[in-house]
Amino acid sequence: MKKNSIKNTRVNAEVQRELSNIIRSGIKDPRVAPMTSVVAVEVAPDLKTCKAYISVLGDKKAQEDTIRGLQSAEGYIRRELAHTINMRNTPEIRFIVDQSIEYGVNISRKIDEVTRDLDNGVD
């Protein structure tokens, strides 16, 4: 895995912050769940493409609807991003569902079940 430069790290953080603001306050699409957050952003060094990892609180259908809503609003999001961030190129955004939080909750739940079973003396 290639190490990010300081500039790229700053660009990633700035794009993540602005994407969060745009999604939270700018998008009126009913498909986009209200509990949607931008977990991470990876902007390519040439500033042409961007992977935005999105976490959605809800079931599988809510995640799919949110991604579809964000994809349909990509033009609006890019335009708002261009207005707020002074970059040479405004990257093309690809939205990816990040399930690491959901995975962590499931693992935590399983650990709690195992410790509860051990406390009750069940093998």
Coordinates of all heavy atoms in Angstrom, one line a residue, residues 39-102:
V39 N -17.2 8.0 6.3 CA -16.2 7.4 7.2 C -14.8 7.7 6.7 O -14.0 8.1 7.6 CB -16.4 5.8 7.2 CG1 -15.4 5.2 8.0 CG2 -17.8 5.5 7.7
A40 N -14.6 7.6 5.4 CA -13.2 7.9 4.9 C -13.3 8.3 3.5 O -14.3 8.1 2.8 CB -12.3 6.7 5.0
V41 N -12.3 9.0 3.0 CA -12.2 9.5 1.6 C -10.8 9.2 1.1 O -9.8 9.5 1.8 CB -12.5 11.0 1.5 CG1 -12.2 11.5 0.2 CG2 -14.0 11.2 1.8
E42 N -10.7 8.7 -0.1 CA -9.4 8.5 -0.7 C -9.4 9.2 -2.1 O -10.1 8.8 -3.0 CB -9.1 7.0 -1.0 CG -8.9 6.2 0.2 CD -8.7 4.7 -0.1 OE1 -8.6 4.3 -1.3 OE2 -8.7 3.9 0.9
V43 N -8.7 10.3 -2.1 CA -8.6 11.1 -3.4 C -7.3 10.7 -4.1 O -6.3 10.6 -3.4 CB -8.6 12.6 -3.1 CG1 -8.5 13.4 -4.4 CG2 -9.9 13.0 -2.4
A44 N -7.4 10.4 -5.4 CA -6.2 10.0 -6.1 C -5.2 11.1 -6.2 O -5.7 12.3 -6.1 CB -6.6 9.6 -7.5
P45 N -3.9 10.9 -6.3 CA -2.9 11.9 -6.3 C -3.1 12.9 -7.5 O -2.8 14.1 -7.3 CB -1.6 11.2 -6.5 CG -1.9 9.8 -5.9 CD -3.3 9.5 -6.2
D46 N -3.7 12.5 -8.6 CA -4.0 13.4 -9.7 C -5.3 14.2 -9.6 O -5.6 14.9 -10.4 CB -3.9 12.6 -11.0 CG -5.1 11.6 -11.1 OD1 -5.8 11.4 -10.2 OD2 -5.2 11.0 -12.2
L47 N -6.0 14.0 -8.4 CA -7.3 14.6 -8.1 C -8.4 14.4 -9.1 O -9.3 15.2 -9.2 CB -7.0 16.2 -8.0 CG -6.0 16.6 -7.0 CD1 -5.8 18.1 -7.1 CD2 -6.3 16.2 -5.6
K48 N -8.3 13.3 -9.9 CA -9.3 13.0 -10.9 C -10.5 12.1 -10.3 O -11.6 12.2 -10.7 CB -8.7 12.3 -12.1 CG -7.7 13.1 -12.8 CD -8.3 13.7 -14.0 CE -7.1 14.3 -14.8 NZ -7.4 15.7 -15.2
T49 N -10.1 11.2 -9.4 CA -11.1 10.3 -8.8 C -11.1 10.3 -7.3 O -10.1 10.7 -6.7 CB -10.9 8.8 -9.3 OG1 -9.6 8.4 -8.9 CG2 -11.0 8.7 -10.8
C50 N -12.2 9.9 -6.7 CA -12.3 9.9 -5.2 C -13.2 8.7 -4.8 O -14.3 8.5 -5.4 CB -12.9 11.2 -4.8 SG -13.4 11.3 -3.1
K51 N -12.7 8.0 -3.9 CA -13.6 6.9 -3.3 C -14.1 7.5 -1.9 O -13.3 7.8 -1.1 CB -12.8 5.6 -3.0 CG -12.4 4.9 -4.3 CD -11.6 3.7 -3.9 CE -11.0 3.1 -5.1 NZ -10.1 1.9 -4.7
A52 N -15.4 7.5 -1.8 CA -16.0 8.0 -0.5 C -16.6 6.8 0.1 O -17.6 6.2 -0.4 CB -17.0 9.1 -0.8
Y53 N -16.2 6.4 1.3 CA -16.7 5.3 2.1 C -17.8 5.8 3.0 O -17.6 6.7 3.9 CB -15.6 4.6 2.9 CG -14.6 4.0 2.0 CD1 -13.4 4.7 1.6 CD2 -14.8 2.7 1.5 CE1 -12.5 4.1 0.8 CE2 -13.8 2.1 0.6 CZ -12.7 2.8 0.3 OH -11.8 2.3 -0.6
I54 N -19.0 5.3 2.8 CA -20.2 5.8 3.4 C -20.8 4.8 4.4 O -20.9 3.6 4.0 CB -21.3 6.1 2.4 CG1 -20.8 7.1 1.3 CG2 -22.6 6.7 3.0 CD1 -20.4 8.5 1.8
S55 N -21.1 5.2 5.6 CA -21.7 4.4 6.6 C -23.2 4.8 6.7 O -23.5 6.0 6.9 CB -21.0 4.5 7.9 OG -21.7 3.7 8.9
V56 N -24.1 3.8 6.7 CA -25.5 4.1 6.8 C -26.1 3.3 7.9 O -25.9 2.1 8.0 CB -26.3 3.8 5.5 CG1 -27.7 4.1 5.6 CG2 -25.7 4.5 4.3
L57 N -26.8 4.0 8.8 CA -27.4 3.3 9.9 C -28.8 2.8 9.4 O -29.6 3.6 9.1 CB -27.6 4.3 11.1 CG -28.1 3.7 12.4 CD1 -27.0 2.7 13.0 CD2 -28.4 4.7 13.5
G58 N -28.9 1.5 9.3 CA -30.2 1.0 8.8 C -29.9 -0.4 8.2 O -28.8 -1.0 8.3
D59 N -31.0 -0.9 7.6 CA -30.9 -2.2 7.0 C -30.2 -2.2 5.6 O -29.8 -1.1 5.1 CB -32.3 -2.9 6.9 CG -33.3 -2.1 6.1 OD1 -32.9 -0.9 5.8 OD2 -34.4 -2.6 5.9
K60 N -30.2 -3.3 5.0 CA -29.5 -3.4 3.6 C -30.2 -2.6 2.6 O -29.6 -1.9 1.8 CB -29.6 -4.9 3.2 CG -28.8 -5.2 2.0 CD -27.4 -5.5 2.4 CE -26.6 -6.0 1.2 NZ -25.2 -5.8 1.3
K61 N -31.6 -2.5 2.7 CA -32.3 -1.7 1.7 C -32.0 -0.2 1.9 O -31.9 0.5 0.9 CB -33.8 -1.9 1.9 CG -34.7 -1.2 0.8 CD -36.1 -1.5 1.0 CE -37.0 -0.8 0.0 NZ -36.6 0.4 -0.6
A62 N -31.9 0.2 3.1 CA -31.6 1.7 3.4 C -30.2 2.0 2.9 O -30.0 3.1 2.3 CB -31.6 1.9 4.9
Q63 N -29.3 1.1 3.0 CA -27.9 1.3 2.4 C -27.9 1.4 0.9 O -27.3 2.3 0.3 CB -27.0 0.1 2.9 CG -26.7 0.1 4.3 CD -25.8 -1.1 4.7 OE1 -25.6 -2.0 3.9 NE2 -25.4 -1.1 6.0
E64 N -28.7 0.5 0.3 CA -28.7 0.5 -1.2 C -29.4 1.8 -1.7 O -29.0 2.4 -2.7 CB -29.5 -0.8 -1.7 CG -28.7 -2.0 -1.5 CD -29.5 -3.3 -1.7 OE1 -30.7 -3.2 -2.0 OE2 -29.0 -4.4 -1.6
D65 N -30.5 2.1 -1.0 CA -31.2 3.4 -1.4 C -30.4 4.6 -1.2 O -30.4 5.5 -2.1 CB -32.5 3.5 -0.6 CG -33.6 2.5 -1.0 OD1 -33.4 1.9 -2.1 OD2 -34.6 2.4 -0.3
T66 N -29.6 4.6 -0.2 CA -28.7 5.8 0.1 C -27.7 5.9 -1.0 O -27.4 7.0 -1.5 CB -28.1 5.7 1.5 OG1 -29.2 5.7 2.5 CG2 -27.2 6.8 1.8
I67 N -27.0 4.8 -1.3 CA -26.0 4.8 -2.3 C -26.6 5.2 -3.7 O -26.0 6.1 -4.4 CB -25.3 3.4 -2.4 CG1 -24.5 3.2 -1.2 CG2 -24.4 3.4 -3.7 CD1 -23.4 4.1 -0.9
R68 N -27.8 4.7 -4.0 CA -28.4 5.1 -5.3 C -28.8 6.6 -5.3 O -28.6 7.3 -6.3 CB -29.7 4.3 -5.5 CG -29.5 3.3 -6.6 CD -30.8 2.6 -6.9 NE -30.8 1.2 -6.3 CZ -31.6 0.8 -5.4 NH1 -32.5 1.6 -4.9 NH2 -31.4 -0.4 -4.9
G69 N -29.2 7.1 -4.1 CA -29.5 8.5 -4.0 C -28.3 9.4 -4.2 O -28.3 10.5 -4.8
L70 N -27.2 9.0 -3.5 CA -25.9 9.7 -3.6 C -25.4 9.7 -5.0 O -24.9 10.7 -5.5 CB -24.9 9.2 -2.6 CG -25.2 9.4 -1.2 CD1 -24.2 8.7 -0.3 CD2 -25.2 10.9 -0.9
Q71 N -25.5 8.5 -5.7 CA -25.0 8.4 -7.1 C -25.8 9.4 -8.0 O -25.2 10.0 -8.9 CB -25.1 7.0 -7.6 CG -24.0 6.1 -7.0 CD -24.2 4.6 -7.3 OE1 -25.3 4.2 -7.6 NE2 -23.2 3.9 -7.0
S72 N -27.1 9.5 -7.8 CA -27.9 10.3 -8.7 C -27.6 11.8 -8.4 O -27.8 12.7 -9.2 CB -29.4 10.0 -8.5 OG -29.9 10.4 -7.3
A73 N -27.2 12.1 -7.2 CA -26.9 13.5 -6.8 C -25.4 13.8 -7.0 O -24.9 14.9 -6.5 CB -27.3 13.8 -5.4
E74 N -24.6 13.0 -7.6 CA -23.2 13.2 -7.7 C -22.8 14.5 -8.4 O -21.9 15.2 -8.0 CB -22.5 12.0 -8.5 CG -21.0 12.2 -8.5 CD -20.3 11.3 -9.5 OE1 -20.9 10.5 -10.1 OE2 -19.1 11.6 -9.6
G75 N -23.6 14.9 -9.4 CA -23.3 16.1 -10.1 C -23.4 17.3 -9.2 O -22.6 18.2 -9.2
Y76 N -24.5 17.3 -8.4 CA -24.7 18.4 -7.5 C -23.6 18.4 -6.4 O -23.1 19.5 -6.1 CB -26.1 18.2 -6.8 CG -26.3 19.1 -5.6 CD1 -26.6 20.4 -5.7 CD2 -26.2 18.6 -4.3 CE1 -26.8 21.2 -4.6 CE2 -26.3 19.4 -3.2 CZ -26.6 20.7 -3.4 OH -26.8 21.5 -2.3
I77 N -23.3 17.2 -5.9 CA -22.2 17.1 -4.9 C -20.9 17.6 -5.4 O -20.2 18.4 -4.8 CB -22.1 15.7 -4.4 CG1 -23.4 15.3 -3.6 CG2 -20.9 15.5 -3.5 CD1 -23.5 13.8 -3.3
R78 N -20.5 17.2 -6.6 CA -19.3 17.7 -7.2 C -19.3 19.2 -7.4 O -18.3 19.9 -7.2 CB -19.0 17.1 -8.6 CG -18.5 15.6 -8.5 CD -18.2 15.1 -9.8 NE -17.0 15.7 -10.4 CZ -16.6 15.4 -11.6 NH1 -17.2 14.6 -12.4 NH2 -15.4 16.0 -12.0
R79 N -20.4 19.8 -7.8 CA -20.5 21.2 -8.0 C -20.3 22.0 -6.7 O -19.6 22.9 -6.6 CB -21.8 21.6 -8.7 CG -21.9 23.1 -9.1 CD -23.2 23.4 -9.9 NE -24.3 23.3 -9.0 CZ -25.3 22.4 -9.2 NH1 -25.3 21.6 -10.3 NH2 -26.4 22.4 -8.4
E80 N -21.0 21.5 -5.7 CA -20.9 22.1 -4.3 C -19.4 21.9 -3.8 O -18.9 22.9 -3.2 CB -21.8 21.5 -3.3 CG -23.3 21.8 -3.6 CD -23.5 23.3 -3.5 OE1 -23.1 23.9 -2.5 OE2 -24.2 23.8 -4.4
L81 N -18.8 20.8 -4.1 CA -17.4 20.6 -3.6 C -16.5 21.5 -4.4 O -15.6 22.1 -3.7 CB -17.1 19.1 -4.0 CG -15.9 18.5 -3.2 CD1 -16.3 18.5 -1.7 CD2 -15.8 17.0 -3.6
A82 N -16.8 21.8 -5.6 CA -15.9 22.7 -6.4 C -16.1 24.1 -5.9 O -15.1 24.9 -5.8 CB -16.3 22.7 -7.9
H83 N -17.3 24.5 -5.4 CA -17.5 25.8 -4.8 C -16.8 26.0 -3.5 O -16.3 27.1 -3.1 CB -19.0 26.1 -4.6 CG -19.7 26.4 -5.9 ND1 -19.3 27.3 -6.9 CD2 -20.8 25.8 -6.4 CE1 -20.1 27.3 -7.9 NE2 -21.0 26.4 -7.7
T84 N -16.7 25.0 -2.7 CA -16.2 25.1 -1.3 C -14.7 24.8 -1.2 O -14.1 25.4 -0.3 CB -17.0 24.2 -0.3 OG1 -16.9 22.8 -0.8 CG2 -18.4 24.6 -0.2
I85 N -14.2 24.0 -2.1 CA -12.8 23.6 -2.0 C -12.1 24.1 -3.3 O -12.5 23.8 -4.4 CB -12.5 22.1 -1.9 CG1 -13.2 21.6 -0.6 CG2 -11.0 21.8 -1.9 CD1 -13.1 20.1 -0.5
N86 N -11.0 24.8 -3.1 CA -10.3 25.4 -4.3 C -9.2 24.3 -4.7 O -8.2 24.2 -4.1 CB -9.6 26.7 -3.9 CG -8.9 27.3 -5.1 OD1 -9.2 27.0 -6.2 ND2 -8.0 28.2 -4.8
M87 N -9.6 23.5 -5.7 CA -8.7 22.4 -6.1 C -8.6 22.6 -7.7 O -9.4 23.1 -8.3 CB -9.3 21.0 -5.8 CG -9.3 20.7 -4.4 SD -10.2 19.2 -3.9 CE -9.7 18.0 -5.1
R88 N -7.5 22.1 -8.2 CA -7.2 22.1 -9.6 C -8.3 21.3 -10.3 O -8.8 21.8 -11.3 CB -5.8 21.5 -9.9 CG -5.4 21.6 -11.3 CD -4.0 21.1 -11.4 NE -3.7 19.8 -10.7 CZ -2.7 19.7 -9.9 NH1 -1.8 20.7 -9.7 NH2 -2.5 18.5 -9.2
N89 N -8.6 20.2 -9.9 CA -9.7 19.3 -10.5 C -10.7 19.0 -9.4 O -10.2 18.7 -8.2 CB -9.1 18.1 -11.1 CG -8.2 18.3 -12.2 OD1 -8.5 19.2 -13.1 ND2 -7.1 17.6 -12.3
T90 N -11.9 18.9 -9.7 CA -12.9 18.4 -8.8 C -13.1 16.9 -9.1 O -13.4 16.5 -10.2 CB -14.3 19.1 -8.9 OG1 -14.1 20.5 -8.7 CG2 -15.2 18.6 -7.8
P91 N -12.8 16.0 -8.1 CA -12.7 14.6 -8.5 C -14.1 14.0 -8.7 O -15.1 14.5 -8.2 CB -12.1 14.0 -7.2 CG -12.4 14.9 -6.1 CD -12.4 16.3 -6.8
E92 N -14.1 13.0 -9.6 CA -15.3 12.1 -9.8 C -15.4 11.2 -8.6 O -14.5 10.5 -8.2 CB -15.1 11.3 -11.1 CG -16.2 10.4 -11.4 CD -16.0 9.6 -12.7 OE1 -15.3 10.1 -13.6 OE2 -16.4 8.4 -12.7
I93 N -16.6 11.2 -8.0 CA -16.8 10.6 -6.7 C -17.5 9.2 -6.9 O -18.5 9.1 -7.6 CB -17.7 11.4 -5.7 CG1 -17.0 12.8 -5.6 CG2 -17.8 10.7 -4.4 CD1 -17.9 13.8 -5.0
R94 N -16.9 8.2 -6.3 CA -17.5 6.9 -6.3 C -17.8 6.5 -4.8 O -17.0 6.5 -3.9 CB -16.5 5.8 -6.8 CG -17.2 4.6 -7.4 CD -16.3 3.7 -8.2 NE -15.7 2.8 -7.2 CZ -14.4 2.3 -7.2 NH1 -13.6 2.7 -8.2 NH2 -14.0 1.5 -6.3
F95 N -19.1 6.3 -4.6 CA -19.6 6.0 -3.2 C -19.6 4.5 -3.0 O -20.0 3.7 -3.8 CB -21.0 6.6 -3.1 CG -21.1 8.0 -3.2 CD1 -21.6 8.6 -4.3 CD2 -20.7 8.9 -2.1 CE1 -21.6 10.0 -4.5 CE2 -20.8 10.2 -2.3 CZ -21.2 10.8 -3.4
I96 N -19.0 4.1 -1.8 CA -18.8 2.8 -1.5 C -19.4 2.6 0.0 O -19.1 3.4 0.9 CB -17.4 2.3 -1.5 CG1 -16.8 2.5 -2.9 CG2 -17.2 0.9 -1.0 CD1 -15.3 2.4 -3.0
V97 N -20.2 1.6 0.2 CA -20.8 1.3 1.5 C -19.7 0.7 2.4 O -19.0 -0.2 2.0 CB -22.0 0.3 1.4 CG1 -22.4 0.0 2.8 CG2 -23.1 0.9 0.6
D98 N -19.4 1.4 3.5 CA -18.5 0.9 4.5 C -19.2 0.2 5.6 O -20.0 0.8 6.3 CB -17.7 2.1 5.1 CG -16.6 1.6 6.1 OD1 -15.9 0.7 5.7 OD2 -16.6 2.1 7.2
Q99 N -18.9 -1.1 5.7 CA -19.7 -1.9 6.7 C -18.8 -2.3 7.9 O -19.1 -3.2 8.7 CB -20.2 -3.2 6.0 CG -21.2 -2.9 4.9 CD -21.5 -4.1 4.1 OE1 -20.8 -5.0 4.0 NE2 -22.7 -4.1 3.6
S100 N -17.7 -1.6 8.1 CA -16.8 -1.9 9.2 C -17.5 -1.6 10.5 O -17.2 -2.3 11.5 CB -15.5 -1.1 9.1 OG -15.7 0.3 9.1
I101 N -18.3 -0.6 10.6 CA -19.0 -0.3 11.9 C -20.0 -1.4 12.2 O -20.0 -1.9 13.3 CB -19.6 1.1 11.9 CG1 -18.6 2.2 11.7 CG2 -20.5 1.3 13.1 CD1 -19.1 3.6 11.5
E102 N -20.7 -1.8 11.2 CA -21.7 -2.8 11.4 C -21.0 -4.1 11.7 O -21.5 -4.9 12.6 CB -22.5 -3.0 10.1 CG -23.6 -4.0 10.1 CD -24.3 -4.1 8.7 OE1 -24.3 -3.1 8.0 OE2 -24.8 -5.2 8.5

